[in-house]
Amino acid sequence: MQTSDTLTRPGLNVVVLDPAHGGTDLGARGTGGIHESDIVLEFAAQVRTALEAQGFQVVQTRQGNANPSFDDRSAMANAQRGAIFVTLHIASTGTPGTARVYVMNDLPSGADATGLIPWDRAQAPFVSLSRKLADQVQVLLAQRFKGSPATAQTSSVRQLRTTAAPAIAVEISSVTVEDRGQLDHMAPGVADAIARGAAAFRPTYVVPANPGERP
Amino acid sequence: MMLRWRWWFLGALFFAVVIAAIYLPILRRNIKQAAKLQQRSEEQARRELTQPTVINPSDPKVKAKLFWASGADDGTVSAVVVDLPLANDPVLRSKQVLNTLLAGPVDMELRTLPPDAALLAFYLLPDGTAIADFSEALATSIPSGIESEQMAVDSIAKTLESNVPQVRRLKILIHGQEVETLAGHLDLSQTFLVNANAAVGPRASNLEAPASTTEAQQLTPVAAPVKLAASPDKPASKP
């Protein structure tokens, strides 16, 4: 339910939340039968609640065991005005109990005179904004999960490249835990960090008022 | 009359059973041998295809830098200096360092690439774009995840950067095909920058390169087919 505050506030109001994988794509698989695609869906439910508590409207790229394509997921974000995009992952590696945030490497911008940018480089104009959002979230994750890096990292994550919005990937370590409860235990902290990071990022993201303006 | 016909029939049946008893084991043995031969030839073909480039001891020994996991569990790779006789030709040299990288470090925990992955082919285009074609195991046996996939690519790219100055960019193919991601996360549809200041000559190498530039470019399109997204200020719909 939206508050009157979220309805009237200009700028960033929407978070597109992407539980990665799904369907026949199980993602990372642990020896104990843990599947990345299942866990991220459960994480997403908690992240969604935390974001809504911060006044965001949340759009989820999948609700159940579906597997939309990379482009379909990006399209959900690209269809919004003034949204941010967060894709959730569970790693196969890394120190269990840590979390890392990734942003796309710098991409050559391909915008033309019409203001349209190539779909395959849609993230290009947003890389610096994505970096700001990623650092906000990473700092909060590092405070809560010892051993996590202090700053966000860059990577050529496929899902981020075609997203025309500030976009980050959050990866939790890992599916190799013996007890799934260890991962479940992390969910509230991850949700809180993402929601508070997005809220801290909100004032810095000014959605362009006129068509043709860059972020 | 009927009784005689029955004896003839039983005799013929007995004869058929005896023949079958002798012939069937021979037939089974022949089938097994044929299957073995076929399997061996397939294995041989695969081994020949993926046979590591032989390191020639007469080549000058250099201190090659190979990048494996740093061991800090932070997703970084670090250099290990190994004395290797390396060829001067950039393609041969690239194959030599990548095969050594695939063979893995002394401490197997620091591996960045799956042990069953193999380098199938390596090309270097005149513009400095290297095309490394790996076996399917690189995609199927690597631990899935952003960190692990990034480390795999970092180890390949940094090893090439440190040892083959002619390589400017890297394109990774899996079993001769362009794939969207390595194992569900890392984007392989684009090239990776290896060394912006690469020593690119008019023709970096003519060894094992495709017959023409046009043919090579078909293997690695310069850019993926372009679709359009709207600019940040107006909503976009997927084309």
Side-chain angles (χ1 to χ4, degrees):
Chain A
M1 178 156 177
Q2 289 182 326
T3 64
S4 58
D5 185 37
T6 60
L7 286 171
T8 54
R9 182 184 293 136
L12 172 59
N13 286 315
V14 181
V15 178
V16 178
L17 193 56
D18 175 42
H21 309 285
T24 53
D25 175 12
L26 301 175
R29 277 170 277 183
T31 47
I34 297 174
H35 296 153
E36 181 183 6
S37 59
D38 297 338
I39 299 170
V40 289
L41 202 56
E42 290 170 22
F43 267 64
Q46 298 205 36
V47 176
R48 181 183 192 123
T49 305
L51 284 165
E52 285 172 345
Q54 292 284 349
F56 289 105
Q57 182 196 337
V58 178
V59 175
Q60 233 172 279
T61 56
R62 69 177 175 103
Q63 299 287 344
N65 194 27
N67 185 18
S69 69
F70 290 119
D71 282 346
D72 285 343
R73 294 174 200 243
S74 288
M76 289 186 208
N78 298 356
Q80 307 290 330
R81 184 192 289 262
I84 59 170
F85 182 88
V86 180
T87 179
L88 298 172
H89 295 264
I90 311 290
S92 307
T93 54
T95 308
T98 60
R100 290 164 303 283
V101 184
Y102 292 91
V103 285
M104 190 74 197
N105 311 82
D106 282 333
L107 286 165
S109 179
D112 60 16
T114 64
L116 293 170
I117 52 174
W119 182 271
D120 68 333
R121 292 193 290 278
Q123 179 58 197
F126 295 92
V127 169
S128 61
L129 281 167
S130 299
R131 160 66 68 178
K132 275 185 195 167
L133 171 63
D135 281 337
Q136 303 265 25
V137 176
Q138 185 66 73
V139 164
L140 295 165
L141 287 169
Q143 285 169 4
R144 195 174 283 256
F145 303 110
K146 298 294 170 212
S148 304
T151 56
Q153 294 162 61
T154 56
S155 178
S156 306
V157 180
R158 166 63 187 86
Q159 185 60 74
L160 302 181
R161 181 166 53 82
T162 47
T163 303
I168 60 171
V170 178
E171 189 173 66
I172 318 296
S173 286
S174 71
V175 291
T176 58
V177 292
E178 284 176 13
D179 175 17
R180 191 199 153 128
Q182 286 176 261
L183 282 171
D184 295 338
H185 187 66
M186 293 178 74
V190 171
D192 181 60
I194 292 171
R196 287 203 291 137
F201 175 73
R202 181 156 32 193
T204 65
Y205 182 33
V206 179
V207 178
N210 301 312
E213 286 179 11
R214 315 289 297 164
Chain B
M1 182 74 183
M2 189 72 175
L3 198 66
R4 216 169 109 191
W5 180 85
R6 196 178 293 165
W7 277 113
W8 271 111
F9 177 74
L10 284 174
L13 193 66
F14 176 74
F15 185 70
V17 168
V18 170
I19 293 291
I22 296 168
Y23 182 67
L24 274 178
I26 296 169
L27 185 67
R28 198 180 301 151
R29 201 167 52 236
N30 286 347
I31 289 172
K32 272 186 184 171
Q33 273 176 352
K36 260 187 197 169
L37 272 176
Q38 194 183 348
Q39 198 178 355
R40 204 178 302 153
S41 62
E42 276 174 14
E43 270 177 21
Q44 199 170 348
R46 192 164 56 229
R47 213 175 300 134
E48 279 167 11
L49 195 65
T50 61
Q51 200 168 32
T53 309
V54 178
I55 286 187
N56 184 358
S58 64
D59 283 333
K61 264 196 174 181
V62 297
K63 293 201 178 301
K65 278 186 181 175
L66 302 174
F67 286 78
W68 288 295
S70 66
D73 224 359
D74 59 355
T76 57
V77 293
S78 61
V80 174
V81 178
V82 181
D83 281 331
L84 280 180
L86 293 180
N88 283 326
D89 177 80
V91 171
L92 204 54
R93 194 180 177 93
S94 300
K95 286 180 175 180
Q96 288 168 334
V97 290
L98 290 184
N99 281 317
T100 312
L101 187 73
L102 283 161
V106 178
D107 181 356
M108 288 297 163
E109 293 282 302
L110 303 180
R111 259 189 178 283
T112 50
L113 305 171
D116 51 345
L119 179 69
L120 301 180
F122 188 92
Y123 307 99
L124 187 57
L125 306 187
D127 69 351
T129 303
I131 301 167
D133 181 13
F134 290 92
S135 64
E136 211 157 347
L138 182 69
T140 54
S141 302
I142 197 167
S144 175
I146 300 170
E147 182 184 65
S148 49
E149 292 172 41
Q150 185 66 54
M151 279 170 74
V153 171
D154 282 349
S155 69
I156 295 167
K158 289 186 179 209
T159 297
L160 286 174
E161 181 192 5
S162 295
N163 300 291
V164 192
Q166 293 88 345
V167 175
R168 184 190 290 268
R169 281 183 292 271
L170 170 67
K171 173 75 182 176
I172 294 175
L173 302 181
I174 302 294
H175 209 91
Q177 303 291 315
E178 186 178 64
V179 293
E180 195 167 32
T181 65
L182 181 49
H185 301 86
L186 207 78
D187 191 354
L188 290 193
S189 64
Q190 312 278 309
T191 56
F192 296 94
L193 183 66
V194 173
N195 179 7
N197 303 314
V200 179
R203 183 159 180 81
S205 169
N206 54 7
L207 273 183
E208 296 192 46
S212 71
T213 307
T214 314
E215 190 185 331
Q217 281 168 346
Q218 283 168 351
L219 287 170
T220 53
V222 175
V226 169
K227 295 188 261 181
L228 292 176
S231 66
D233 39 83
K234 42 188 171 184
S237 59
K238 196 187 149 219

